[in-house]
Amino acid sequence: MRIPQALAKNKTVRFGVPMLLLIVGGSFGLREFTQIRYDSFKLHGKKIKDAAFDDWKNIRGPRPWEEPKSLQEQQRKSA
């Protein structure tokens, strides 16, 4: 009877053990989520080696006060 009461009053058991469980459990959880990220990248990987960069031109995005479509169309035509 004294052991459960003593464990309930012990700060290490009340706070330390749950904290360690969260840290270790969180580590395993994050590992699973990051593995999903890398697996999806393998499936939908970018094929940079197939892309043609010879005719590439940098077109800047519009500023807040500019009209987005007309500015980009002008830049594409002048390229």
Side-chain angles (χ1 to χ4, degrees):
M1 289 289 185
R2 287 185 171 183
I3 294 175
Q5 289 176 352
L7 289 177
K9 290 182 180 180
N10 190 345
K11 287 187 178 181
T12 302
V13 174
R14 287 181 63 198
F15 300 112
V17 173
M19 179 62 111
L20 285 175
L21 288 174
L22 281 172
I23 291 171
V24 173
S27 168
F28 285 108
L30 284 173
R31 186 183 71 190
E32 293 300 321
F33 282 115
T34 55
Q35 188 64 40
I36 291 170
R37 175 184 170 194
Y38 292 123
D39 289 343
S40 71
F41 184 75
K42 278 184 188 175
L43 292 175
H44 306 292
K46 296 179 181 177
K47 297 178 180 180
I48 294 177
K49 63 181 178 182
D50 296 337
F53 292 111
D54 296 335
D55 58 348
W56 182 79
K57 182 175 184 210
N58 188 15
I59 299 176
R60 73 167 177 83
R63 295 191 171 108
W65 58 84
E66 297 174 337
E67 293 182 35
K69 297 206 179 223
S70 65
L71 178 70
Q72 288 181 349
E73 287 174 10
Q74 287 175 354
Q75 289 180 354
R76 286 188 181 125
K77 289 177 183 177
S78 67

